[in-house]
Amino acid sequence: NAAKLLRRIAAEKRCAARDLCAAYFLITGTQYAPAITIERKCWENLAQALRSCYHQEACAGFNYRRAADETQDTCLQKLLSRLAAQSYRRAEDVLTLLGKLLC
């Protein structure tokens, strides 16, 4: 279950990155060229990894929601609101899995 959930989360994040790059192009007329860094994180166990994943998703949801509230562009607002909802849903999915793992 954990591997399946984490693969789904990764796929959704790739789609979100593509959508954000497309929005950037629509707004600026230039392509976004991200500087990619790869972090290797190690956790003591799966529960700790899921805890980290939960916090990432919850914080991303909050930041997407805040950005949606601050923009005047309705298309960007819609995209950011959708990404916020997806992040919060993923956080709930991680929380459910964590509950099953611990209890």
Side-chain angles (χ1 to χ4, degrees):
N1 277 342
K4 184 178 178 181
L5 175 61
L6 294 174
R7 279 193 297 273
R8 182 176 55 93
I9 288 172
E12 288 178 4
K13 286 183 176 238
R14 283 190 299 274
C15 288
R18 282 193 295 269
D19 290 347
L20 287 168
C21 284
Y24 183 88
F25 179 77
L26 289 172
I27 292 167
T28 67
T30 60
Q31 285 186 302
Y32 180 70
I36 299 174
T37 58
I38 298 173
E39 293 181 44
R40 293 197 59 95
K41 294 186 178 186
C42 294
W43 296 275
E44 292 178 25
N45 53 42
L46 179 58
Q48 290 295 328
L50 291 174
R51 180 176 185 262
S52 176
C53 186
Y54 173 84
H55 286 292
Q56 285 179 349
E57 293 301 334
C59 288
F62 175 78
N63 288 327
Y64 283 134
R65 177 74 59 214
R66 184 175 57 183
D69 291 343
E70 292 176 3
T71 187
Q72 300 298 315
D73 185 306
T74 55
C75 292
L76 185 57
Q77 188 176 51
K78 184 178 175 181
L79 171 61
L80 293 169
S81 294
R82 180 173 55 85
L83 295 177
Q86 287 177 351
S87 289
Y88 283 130
R89 180 189 42 77
R90 287 192 299 261
E92 289 175 13
D93 292 345
V94 171
L95 180 63
T96 299
L97 180 59
L98 189 56
K100 289 177 183 177
L101 179 68
L102 297 175
C103 300

